Amino acid sequence: MASDSYRLRVFGLPVIESVAELAAATHLSPALLYHLCQFPDRFYRRFSIPKKSGAGARQIRCPARPLKALQAWLLRAILDSVKVHPAATAFRKGHGLRSNVTPHRENRYFLCLDIEDFFPSIGYAKVWTVFRTLGYNAHMSHVFASICTCDGVLPQGGVTSPALSNIVCFRMDARLAGYCGKHNVAYTRYADDMTLSATSPRVLVAARRMCTRITRDEGFALNERKTRVMGPRQCRHVTGLVVSDRGTVGVGRRRERVLRAAIARGATRDTGLTDAEGRRLRHRIRGWLDYLQDVDRPRADRLKRYRTALLERWQVSDQA
């Protein structure tokens, strides 16, 4: 079956109808492309990292250099041009944690849901459908889907996995956003974290049932153990940020105090740390301040002034 070249041109995507054309576009040999497509599972390094919750481990699959380069080309040439739903705030340029939380800051009640085994829930067939829907022929859709999957699913660690997950979830996001919009509920999704908020707790009860139904229809399952409901009397944590009663979004006073204590320790001379430990501590502090600059600029500026004053007072070098 031929590709839909007109549709591809409308989308601004490269028209590729054979592996030979893909080889010419990527400057990779047809023999290498054949092996990457036929035996993609051989081109991954597998390891696991503990989950933040402490329950189990997260399986990571990192592609080898040639496969990583090919996935990066697919991301730049094709997937980055595909629009995703506005409710999807992760893995997008100009968006981040703050973009995920800001739509909820005027509401008082929050419902946080977690999609279980998010990336492994997206299989080869869904990825094939993405490329086929864009206009690529069945064979090239198979080639692209094989390059982007490992063991038949999206690998966590793959270059194209984040973008493909947002594209695959477009219909689910549209259905959830459509329902929530009709019931005055705000909805966003940051990867596998779904957040709903409203001014009344009653509408969230019905929204939770609808979310369960829609996610199940779309081939996902919710992790009921991670479901959280938060009201105005609680500290409302949403994807690592805190929404205050005044509608401000940031990291919260508790985390600011912890970082302030770390800054004080790293900026004094008599810290009880070795030189190497002191450099690592200051390196982590700078990383935290860079993160705060994106999500909580007022606290970042306040802590930077505090840090500068201490470094000058104790005449401590900030070299990591």
Side-chain angles (χ1 to χ4, degrees):
M1 188 178 296
S3 62
D4 190 339
S5 59
Y6 175 77
R7 185 186 302 178
L8 292 172
R9 290 190 177 95
V10 168
F11 289 157
L13 302 177
V15 179
I16 298 175
E17 298 187 343
S18 66
V19 173
E21 293 181 7
L22 178 62
T26 59
H27 305 289
L28 297 175
S29 70
L32 176 59
L33 287 177
Y34 171 81
H35 283 88
L36 293 175
C37 173
Q38 291 297 110
F39 313 104
D41 300 351
R42 299 179 182 178
F43 291 86
Y44 284 91
R45 181 170 64 91
R46 295 166 169 80
F47 59 94
S48 60
I49 58 175
K51 293 183 178 180
K52 291 182 179 180
S53 62
R58 195 179 304 277
Q59 301 300 318
I60 306 297
R61 299 177 178 91
C62 285
R65 183 173 296 180
L67 182 57
K68 187 175 183 178
L70 183 54
Q71 289 181 353
W73 184 89
L74 286 174
L75 180 66
R76 293 192 305 269
I78 299 176
L79 300 177
D80 276 348
S81 301
V82 182
K83 292 184 178 180
V84 300
H85 197 276
T89 58
F91 319 128
R92 296 174 58 192
K93 293 180 181 179
H95 292 73
L97 289 173
R98 192 173 182 87
S99 303
N100 185 66
V101 180
T102 300
H104 305 278
R105 62 184 179 182
E106 300 298 329
N107 291 328
R108 304 178 65 198
Y109 297 91
F110 291 73
L111 172 63
C112 297
L113 305 170
D114 179 86
I115 300 176
E116 192 167 17
D117 296 328
F118 181 56
F119 285 110
S121 297
I122 301 174
Y124 165 90
K126 290 184 178 180
V127 179
W128 182 91
T129 301
V130 166
F131 290 105
R132 191 72 185 98
T133 302
L134 290 176
Y136 290 100
N137 62 40
H139 175 62
M140 289 311 301
S141 296
H142 163 70
V143 170
F144 292 148
S146 298
I147 291 169
C148 295
T149 56
C150 176
D151 300 324
V153 299
L154 276 189
Q156 186 159 354
V159 177
T160 51
S161 295
L164 279 167
S165 69
N166 276 343
I167 297 170
V168 167
C169 289
F170 185 95
R171 188 173 67 176
M172 180 182 76
D173 290 332
R175 292 178 66 186
L176 289 170
Y179 171 85
C180 290
K182 292 178 181 178
H183 295 83
N184 296 319
V185 176
Y187 164 73
T188 58
R189 181 182 58 81
Y190 192 88
D192 57 351
D193 292 314
M194 304 164 66
T195 305
L196 293 83
S197 65
T199 57
S200 167
R202 293 183 179 179
V203 293
L204 290 182
V205 174
R208 179 177 179 177
R209 291 195 295 267
M210 182 57 67
C211 281
T212 301
R213 184 183 308 169
I214 291 176
T215 52
R216 184 172 59 243
D217 288 347
E218 297 296 331
F220 297 98
L222 296 179
N223 188 338
E224 298 296 337
R225 293 172 298 177
K226 292 187 177 181
T227 298
R228 295 182 295 122
V229 180
M230 297 171 290
R233 296 184 179 181
Q234 296 171 280
C235 186
R236 290 165 292 184
H237 289 270
V238 179
T239 52
L241 298 181
V242 177
V243 183
S244 72
D245 292 335
R246 295 172 295 175
T248 60
V249 176
V251 297
R253 287 175 292 181
R254 180 178 299 178
R255 186 168 292 180
E256 180 183 6
R257 287 195 295 267
V258 171
L259 185 54
R260 187 181 178 91
I263 289 173
R265 188 182 188 196
T268 57
R269 287 187 176 278
D270 188 17
T271 62
L273 302 175
T274 65
D275 290 343
E277 290 171 339
R279 286 194 296 269
R280 285 196 294 269
L281 174 61
R282 290 190 287 274
H283 180 75
R284 288 197 299 270
I285 289 171
R286 285 206 301 273
W288 262 106
L289 291 175
D290 289 341
Y291 167 73
L292 287 180
Q293 195 66 33
D294 289 334
V295 300
D296 195 341
R297 186 165 296 178
R299 280 193 170 88
D301 293 340
R302 188 160 60 241
L303 288 169
K304 283 181 178 179
R305 290 193 299 268
Y306 174 69
R307 174 169 164 266
T308 300
L310 286 180
L311 291 174
E312 292 175 352
R313 177 183 176 185
W314 294 100
Q315 298 181 347
V316 175
S317 172
D318 190 35
Q319 297 299 315

